[in-house]
Every structure is written in C-alpha cells, then in structure tokens.
Amino acid sequence: MKNINRIKKQVKNKLVGALLIVACITTIACDPTIDSLAFDLPDANSQEDLTPPAAAFTASVTADYLTYTFANESTSATTYAWDFGDGNSSTSVDGLNTYPDEGTYTVTLTASDALGAVNTYTAEVVVEEPEAPPVLDPTLVNADFVKLPKSSGSDCACAAWINKSIGDQGESSSGNGSDVLKFDNNEPDAIYQEFEVVPNANYLITVVSSFKSLESGGLYPSELELRILAGTGYTDGYTPVYYTDTVDFPQGNSDSGFWGYTSIAQVEDEANNLLIRVEDNPSDTSYLSYQYSFNSGANTSVALFMRGLGGPATGGAGGDFGYNSGDEEIRTDSIVITALD
Amino acid sequence: MKFVKYIAVLFIGVLASSCSDFLDPKPNSASTSNNYYTTLAELESALIGAYDAIQGDGSYDRDENHGVQYEFYITEMRSGNSSTKIADADDFSDSGQFESFSVLATNGIVANYYDSFYQVIFRANVVLENLGNVSEDTSAIEAEAKFIRAYAYFNLVRLFGDIPLVDHVLTASETDTQFIRVDKNLVYDLIISDLETAKDGLDNTYKTRASKAAAQGLLAKAYLSIENPEYLKAQILCESIINSQEFDLVNFYDVFYSELNDEIIFAIGYQTIDDSQNFSAQWMNAVGRSSGLNYATYDLVGDLDLYGGDRTQFTYRQDPIHLTSVRYQCAKYFPDGDDGGDTGEFTGNPELAGNDWIVLRYADILLLYAEAIMAGGQETNNAAALNAFQLVRNRAGLTDVVTNLTKEELLLERRVELAFENHRLFDLVRFGEAETTLSAYSELNGFGYTTSDLLLPMPQNEVNLSNGLMSQNPGY
C-alpha cells in the first residue's frame, strides 16, 4: 500500500512537471516576439516567388463610345487595382468604365499576388466619337463629254468612255450649247467608265440626253439603255485603276488594255447588274433630264454603261456586238452622279 | 556424308526461297495504310470517316469521342441561353461548370470536344495526304476534306483561341506541332484558304456532307469572326447563297422535324438506332444519365416570350414532369420528334434518336447578310439588309415593317431565331457584346464571370503531356 502511494506521488509529480513544460513551450512557441522563431520570409534561405504576377489587359469600346470594357489578362495574380485615368478606379477582376468626355486616358492595372509581389501594366485609351465616314460623290472623268485627247487617235467627246470589247466608241457632236456625245443611229455605239463607290450606299444618276425626232413609220425606234455594272462581275483577277487624265484611259482592246467587262454576255448577265433602265424615244427633241438611283451593294467599284438599242441585232453600220441603235440618233450632254446618303 | 549433302541442298533451297514474296506477304484480306487510298472510292470512305468523327459516339462512354454531340455544353450552356435543369452537386462535376462560368482545366467535356475535333482534323489530313496516290481527278475530294478541316478548326479557334495548327499527318518525330499553340490569326488563314478551295470545288448536291453553299456560309462567318472583319467578302458570299435560289425559309417547326428541308444548308446527319445521337435524350427530364441538360434559362425564355413571335412555341416548353420548380426545355430537338407527352414516356428509345444536328441554315445566312452590310456599324437602313432581316421576321409572324435595323436588334433576333443551335456565344463575341451581356447576366445570377471565361481552358491533360510546350489560357 505504501509502495503504491509512493508510485502514485511520483507519477503525479512527473505529470505536473510535464504539464508545466508543455505549457511553457506552448506559450513560447506562439509568441512571435521571440526573434529566433519569427516568420522567416522573405529573408535569406526563404522560398523564391517563382511565379510573380504579370499584369496585362485589353481595352474594347462598347456600343457607347464613352464606355470601355477592360479584359484582364494578368497571370499569377490574385488582387487587382484599376486606375482608369479619369479619376475612377476599381478592384474587380475585369474593368468597366465610362469616360466623361473624349480624350486620351492612361489606364493602369496593378496586379499583385498573395506574397505581395506587384506588377503594373499601362496602356492609353483614346476616347473618340466615331464619325460615320461621309459618302463622297463619285468621280467621273469627262462627264460633260468635252472633246479631249485619247490614248490614241483624235480628240473625242468619248475620251475616257471607250470600251471596244463591248461596243463601238461614241462620237463627238455638239448640242445644248456645248460638246455632246452621240450614239449614232443603226450602230452599236456605247460608253463605259469604271468608278469608285462606297459599298451599300445609294447614289443618284442624272443624265441629260436628247433623241432625234421619231422616224415616222420607222420599224426600229431608238432606245437609250443605262446599266450600272457591279465590280464583283469584273473578269477574274482584274483590279480597277481610276485614271484622271483622258489620255491614260485604255480603250478595251489589246493595244491599250482591257477593262473589267470584256464581253456583252458579261454585261447582260443579270447577276452583274445593279441597275438596268431603258428610255424610249420621248418624241421631244429637247435635252431632257433622266434620273435613276442605285445602291452600290457589295462593291467598291462599279461601271456605268450606256448604249443605243432598238435596231436589229446584226447588220448595223458598225462592229458586230449583237445589238444596234435604232433609227434615231441620241445625244448625251452630261452625266452627274451624286451620293444620296 | 550423305546427310551433309542433303543438308547442303536443303540449306541452299531455303536460301533461294527466302527472298521470295512468300516470306513478305501482303495481306489480301485486309487493307493497310500503304496500299489503301488508291481509288476515289477508298478516299471517299476515308472522308466518311471524318464525318463520323464529327458525329461522335452516341453512348455515355467517357472514353469515346462524342464530337458535336457535346458542343451544347461548351457553347450554349456558356452563353446565358441554357443550363442544367437543377444545379445539383452531381452535375457540377463537369456539366454544371459551364452555366456558372467556373470551368476547370480538368473538365472532361472540354477535353472530349478538343480530342474529337482534332480527330476530325486528323482524318481530313489523312485524306489530303493521300490525294496524290489516286490517279483520277481528286479535286472534289480535296475540297470536301478541306471543308471538314476548316469546320473543325473554326469551332476550335473560337472556343480555345490560339491552338496547335496541324495541317498534315504528323510523323512520330513531330511531337512539338501537336502542342505548340500558334496565333489564332494563322489558324484563320488556314480556315479561309481551305474554305476558298472548298467553295470553288463543291456543288450543292448534299446537305449532310460539304457543299458549295456550306463552304460559302462558313467562310462568310469566318470573315466576320476574324480580327479585322472582311465585311464585303462576307456580304458577297451570303449574296451568292441567296441568289442561288436553292434555299428557302420553311415553316419553323419543319426546320427541325422535317429533315433535309429547303432551309438546311449543312447538317450532321444521324439515323434512329443505327447511327444515332443521345443529346436529344439528355435535354429531356432525366432520360439520359443526367437529370436534364441544356434547359432554357429564364433570361432566354424572357426574350423568346417578348420577341420570338411564332417561333416561341417551337423553341421551348415547360418541363411537364418537373414539379418542384418551373423549368423550360428545348423544343427544337425532341428525340425523333417525340416530346414524351405529359408523362415523359417515349414510344421509341429516345437515347437512340436520329435528329440531324443543324450547323448552317438559311435564316442564319440572311441574318449574317444583314450583319455584313451593317459592317460593324451601330445601325443600317440599307434596303437589302432590311429585306433579309424582314424575311426572317415575317416567317415568325412578325410582319411589322422594319425601316431601320440596329446592331442590338440584330443580335436579339439571332438569339430568338437560333436559340439552342449553339450560335449565341459566338454571336456575342462577334458583335463585341459578350463582355457587357455576360457580366450583367452573371451578376444577376451570382455567377463568377470574368473576361477570361470567353475562352475555354486548354485541356489539362494536353498541357501535362506537352512537357511545358502548351501554355494555358489566362484565368485557368
């Protein structure tokens, strides 16, 4: 019994001792003021931050030109600070900001990771109200049909308007107080010119023409046809060149060079036509204004084509193109094309 | 001694015969890669194999490629259009990550789609590589294979961004090519050149195989999706589809349930039982392995109710079996047209459905046409654009005359016309509206959308195998 008590006492003492030591250690261990046990980052021998943050973003404008969204493309970062350059800031992942006015703003993204490593990325945002590009009036060369030099041959009111692959050249004449272009009777006279347009824009064409008096009892009254031919219908590989000087214009043959339309079949392919209009002889010999409008569709370039019709397909006085003007001469004084948009 | 003589004779005999073909037999009961692909018919069977890879496997086996059958997860369910029926913990393992924009790099569905479409590309490359082994004119086969390859790359580049560009059959030593991601503009260069070849070499004979119109339509969409969109080229392509007069809008219900109708330009074909798909079943209430997938979000239902017109009734319906909350199902792809009635009992086996998957249809082209004419602007009053837009509206019974079309209206029209057809996510990105639309949707629903969610993660498995060659997309 004595022995047991002694053993009990001894065990109790030792337990109390052990408890004291544990208590001491616990207290000391949790006290950060003890230098030797302090958190030892980022001193010597600590782990290096192998994946420091890299800040990056892309700005995109929204439907409202003042509002931009910023796509955060940072890597290895956990927190972000945006400075949008107009005094606004944000700490969300992606940025969204509406600027007060037009101007150039410097946007800074600061990306940091949990170890406190920081990286910044800066980009400028130019806030500008988008302007719809104005649709300009197309440029036609020699639109008043003045006698001007051609690449070969004598001066002609038809200068800049010749495409011999699809018709004979028009002829010089006068009328309405100036030079005019003439579509001879019973000939395949035609004019052709390519010009630049804005896609999907509306244009107004004004043509001033005069028909000779209707032949009484004539079998073949003349008609004047106007077509707007799509640039998408140009021969494969053809790139339009817009000449400004009439002497530079090819004439649609191998000597001077070909245009985008090289055959009547190509001209008459319905898919290539943006506009086809045919005027009958009005039985009025004065110069009348004819107006048409067209939409340029999916074209940056189109061609204007006019010819006299009404005669027999073959047997005319000119070349053989499968069409001829009718019994009366037609004269055209001017063509004006303006943008409607 | 006599035996030595015999042995010598035998030895010489063996030597003499050892070089004959007898010991180098060509199998005549099977084809090998060296002696196959020598006729047009054999090349064509390889092409069919590429379509087979797009179709994917109609089972639930995770080791099989499921091709386009898994596309809804990574497109429609990531666009605010659809979600799981109930966001339960089981579904969140993989399929539930999409609706909440919390996709993990380890997502098996993402990896499956990635594998599937590189398999498609591989099979197309095999065809292209063997064109020279056939003496006949292979231009049509080449055009078709290039269409398939472009289709696969177009899906991948829009989902993953920069991706490995594999344009030939890789040899064992070319391990880098399969992992190194190239700039997405270069991927688009291949897509565009492939589709240019395809549109010139094909006609409109097929709807479930490549056709001229399919190539034109896909190319138009690619031109609108690139960094600097080619609006005019896209417009011309859409115009030639429209002007071909080979396609037309049909009754909206028939678009989906009368297969190969006039509106379909390109579809992935399936046959009930024999060559079937199971996505139709997965979208029903607990018919497939899940409790229900690709259910309409309230956000989509709200837009359909307001702007869908006659289309609404054929686009979604209220789930008749699910009673604890009001949930809406896709009505465009009921398994073989059987909606299961009010009880969810199908006459056939809904998991072996034959509904074709529509990739391109005429209404999509009409709306793309208006988009091309708008050319990145905010609105248009161009007659051709309005006319195309009006045709789509008229079919839906919305015949009020449209005199001006805004970008917002066009995007909304695409949503209600093409809901559940995996267009929405790509439309939002193309229109530059993904950021604002998805962050607002995410905020409203308490999801964690950030811009980096617009691209899927590169499958972690690929990144691991690449030995450091494949980088991960930001945010994953």
Side-chain angles (χ1 to χ4, degrees):
Chain A
M1 198 56 202
K2 225 182 195 177
N3 259 352
I4 291 172
N5 277 346
R6 203 172 338 149
I7 290 168
K8 266 189 181 169
K9 205 175 187 179
Q10 221 167 350
V11 168
K12 207 187 270 174
N13 283 347
K14 282 190 178 143
L15 266 178
V16 170
L19 198 70
L20 261 174
I21 291 168
V22 168
C24 280
I25 290 174
T26 313
T27 320
I28 296 167
C30 293
D31 182 357
T33 58
I34 294 173
D35 284 349
S36 63
L37 296 170
F39 186 55
D40 62 0
L41 281 174
D43 287 336
N45 300 326
S46 67
Q47 284 278 317
E48 201 187 333
D49 187 351
L50 288 172
T51 53
F57 66 83
T58 318
S60 346
V61 66
T62 61
D64 166 23
Y65 76 96
L66 290 172
T67 303
Y68 276 73
T69 59
F70 300 89
N72 195 333
E73 290 161 355
S74 306
T75 50
S76 294
T78 50
T79 53
Y80 306 96
W82 292 91
D83 175 356
F84 295 119
D86 62 344
N88 292 339
S89 60
S90 159
T91 55
S92 59
V93 180
D94 296 314
L96 173 74
N97 192 43
T98 303
Y99 288 97
D101 211 340
E102 291 189 349
T104 303
Y105 300 88
T106 306
V107 180
T108 306
L109 171 63
T110 308
S112 21
D113 67 9
L115 296 175
V118 169
N119 186 252
T120 61
Y121 177 80
T122 301
E124 278 190 350
V125 170
V126 181
V127 177
E128 218 174 11
E129 181 164 11
E131 259 179 72
V135 180
L136 300 173
D137 292 341
T139 311
L140 291 179
V141 175
N142 196 17
D144 290 329
F145 302 105
V146 179
K147 274 210 238 174
L148 288 171
K150 311 185 304 229
S151 61
S152 65
S154 51
D155 291 2
C156 182
C158 62
W161 290 99
I162 305 169
N163 184 348
K164 290 179 175 167
S165 325
I166 52 178
D168 285 350
Q169 65 184 57
E171 287 162 44
S172 302
S173 186
S174 58
N176 210 21
S178 64
D179 290 349
V180 296
L181 181 120
K182 187 173 66 170
F183 298 90
D184 262 336
N185 53 319
N186 198 30
E187 284 187 20
D189 289 354
I191 59 171
Y192 176 95
Q193 191 173 122
E194 294 170 3
F195 57 97
E196 201 171 4
V197 289
V198 172
N200 302 306
N202 293 311
Y203 292 93
L204 179 72
I205 310 174
T206 309
V207 182
V208 177
S209 298
S210 150
F211 287 70
K212 278 277 168 71
S213 308
L214 201 57
E215 289 274 331
S216 64
L219 287 174
Y220 300 105
S222 281
E223 298 161 334
L224 181 59
E225 181 195 69
L226 179 144
R227 290 171 185 259
I228 296 293
L229 303 169
T232 48
Y234 290 157
T235 44
D236 284 345
Y238 175 78
T239 311
V241 178
Y242 305 108
Y243 303 94
T244 50
D245 200 336
T246 53
V247 290
D248 298 329
F249 277 67
Q251 299 186 15
N253 55 21
S254 52
D255 294 343
S256 60
F258 289 98
W259 293 105
Y261 279 81
T262 57
S263 74
I264 279 297
Q266 195 184 351
V267 169
E268 292 181 347
D269 180 346
E270 205 180 325
N272 290 340
N273 283 268
L274 298 174
L275 178 74
I276 308 172
R277 285 304 194 75
V278 179
E279 300 296 344
D280 292 333
N281 191 327
S283 295
D284 177 350
T285 57
S286 55
Y287 280 83
L288 302 174
S289 246
Y290 298 90
Q291 287 201 317
Y292 318 98
S293 65
F294 72 97
N295 186 287
S296 51
N299 296 285
T300 52
S301 176
V302 298
L304 185 149
F305 175 72
M306 282 175 74
R307 61 178 169 174
L309 286 178
T314 54
D320 187 7
F321 293 95
Y323 69 89
N324 283 292
S325 183
D327 294 335
E328 303 91 19
E329 274 176 25
I330 308 164
R331 292 168 195 223
T332 296
D333 186 20
S334 65
I335 300 175
V336 176
I337 304 183
T338 52
L340 284 174
D341 297 307
Chain B
M1 272 317 277
K2 264 185 176 174
F3 284 115
V4 172
K5 219 184 275 172
Y6 287 133
I7 291 168
V9 166
L10 195 67
F11 183 65
I12 290 165
V14 168
L15 271 185
S17 64
S18 68
C19 291
S20 78
D21 287 349
F22 178 71
L23 290 177
D24 183 22
K26 293 243 181 343
N28 48 19
S29 59
S31 299
T32 69
S33 57
N34 284 333
N35 66 9
Y36 202 57
Y37 306 134
T38 53
T39 67
L40 274 184
E42 286 164 351
L43 271 184
E44 197 161 341
S45 71
L47 261 184
I48 301 304
Y51 287 108
D52 200 47
I54 301 172
Q55 277 185 328
D57 191 83
S59 73
Y60 299 105
D61 189 339
R62 289 189 176 239
D63 294 332
E64 295 286 345
N65 283 339
H66 297 281
V68 82
Q69 296 186 47
Y70 270 14
E71 196 174 84
F72 71 92
Y73 287 108
I74 52 174
T75 54
E76 209 66 359
M77 283 176 58
R78 221 151 56 84
S79 72
N81 263 8
S82 71
S83 66
T84 51
K85 184 185 75 180
I86 305 167
D88 64 61
D90 283 346
D91 277 340
F92 263 74
S93 57
D94 262 347
S95 51
Q97 293 171 9
F98 300 104
E99 66 206 57
S100 56
F101 306 104
S102 50
V103 182
L104 299 175
T106 50
N107 189 297
I109 292 162
V110 173
N112 195 291
Y113 191 84
Y114 185 91
D115 287 352
S116 292
F117 276 79
Y118 272 104
Q119 179 66 238
V120 173
I121 289 164
F122 165 72
R123 293 187 187 182
N125 279 337
V126 167
V127 174
L128 293 169
E129 200 113 310
N130 284 288
L131 292 176
N133 298 340
V134 176
S135 51
E136 293 129 288
D137 176 18
T138 54
S139 56
I141 301 269
E142 179 186 358
E144 195 164 353
K146 287 192 167 171
F147 172 85
I148 294 169
R149 186 167 73 176
Y151 165 72
Y153 269 122
F154 189 35
N155 285 338
L156 289 170
V157 76
R158 288 182 293 173
L159 290 164
F160 295 93
D162 299 348
I163 43 172
L165 186 60
V166 185
D167 62 359
H168 59 282
V169 177
L170 295 180
T171 61
S173 60
E174 293 176 282
T175 46
D176 290 6
T177 314
Q178 79 183 93
F179 293 120
I180 292 180
R181 301 173 65 187
V182 307
D183 190 285
K184 64 174 194 275
N185 294 325
L186 295 175
V187 181
Y188 271 116
D189 287 348
L190 181 71
I191 292 168
I192 288 168
S193 82
D194 276 356
L195 288 173
E196 289 282 358
T197 309
K199 84 174 169 62
D200 294 338
L202 291 168
D203 57 27
N204 290 337
T205 309
Y206 298 106
K207 285 179 188 286
T208 53
R209 285 174 60 175
S211 67
K212 187 183 201 68
Q216 288 169 327
L218 211 57
L219 183 55
K221 208 174 270 190
Y223 275 135
L224 293 175
S225 304
I226 53 179
E227 207 168 307
N228 299 305
E230 296 266 16
Y231 296 114
L232 218 50
K233 288 182 178 170
Q235 182 181 347
I236 292 168
L237 287 162
C238 293
E239 221 157 65
S240 54
I241 297 173
I242 295 167
N243 291 342
S244 76
Q245 299 187 337
E246 295 193 39
F247 305 94
D248 206 356
L249 297 178
V250 302
N251 176 297
F252 198 71
Y253 177 86
D254 293 340
V255 173
F256 306 97
Y257 294 108
S258 157
E259 305 219 309
L260 309 180
N261 58 74
D262 280 353
E263 185 160 344
I264 305 301
I265 295 173
F266 180 54
I268 306 300
Y270 292 96
Q271 295 292 326
T272 309
I273 300 170
D274 296 333
D275 199 10
S276 61
Q277 46 88 351
N278 68 5
F279 64 81
S280 283
Q282 293 269 58
W283 300 356
M284 295 292 96
N285 189 330
V287 174
R289 289 274 171 95
S290 85
S291 66
L293 294 169
N294 213 22
Y295 270 51
T297 60
Y298 299 121
D299 194 54
L300 172 65
V301 167
D303 273 353
L304 277 164
D305 287 347
L306 283 173
Y307 310 107
D310 295 346
R311 292 169 291 207
T312 309
Q313 58 189 310
F314 304 121
T315 303
Y316 77 84
R317 67 149 180 190
Q318 186 177 338
D319 183 345
I321 312 170
H322 182 71
L323 300 174
T324 49
S325 61
V326 177
R327 295 294 279 129
Y328 301 100
Q329 298 172 310
C330 168
K332 287 182 172 177
Y333 283 95
F334 287 129
D336 290 327
D338 182 356
D339 67 6
D342 291 341
T343 54
E345 279 164 33
F346 296 85
T347 44
N349 183 346
E351 292 173 278
L352 301 175
N355 309 50
D356 292 349
W357 174 253
I358 300 168
V359 176
L360 267 181
R361 60 183 174 95
Y362 191 55
D364 185 9
I365 297 300
L366 289 172
L367 296 175
L368 273 185
Y369 181 56
E371 184 181 332
I373 292 174
M374 206 178 271
Q378 293 301 323
E379 58 181 342
T380 183
N381 56 13
N382 178 282
L386 294 180
N387 189 36
F389 184 75
Q390 187 83 55
L391 286 174
V392 175
R393 302 260 305 167
N394 284 351
R395 191 254 302 263
L398 302 167
T399 51
D400 50 311
V401 177
V402 179
T403 54
N404 188 55
L405 174 62
T406 66
K407 185 172 139 183
E408 203 182 353
E409 288 165 341
L410 184 56
L411 182 59
L412 180 61
E413 195 63 32
R414 286 189 67 84
R415 182 181 208 189
V416 293
E417 173 70 32
L418 300 165
F420 300 112
E421 296 176 55
N422 301 356
H423 292 278
R424 176 68 172 169
L425 180 72
F426 300 140
D427 289 350
L428 285 170
V429 171
R430 214 172 53 243
F431 277 70
E433 293 294 327
E435 191 55 41
T436 40
T437 307
L438 293 181
S439 55
Y441 169 77
S442 168
E443 201 156 315
L444 202 67
N445 291 279
F447 299 141
Y449 169 84
T450 59
T451 313
S452 56
D453 289 316
L454 288 180
L455 290 182
L456 288 169
M458 299 306 288
Q460 190 60 44
N461 196 28
E462 294 289 314
V463 175
N464 293 348
L465 286 170
S466 76
N467 219 349
L469 288 174
M470 181 180 276
S471 60
Q472 185 52 278
N473 277 324
Y476 292 101

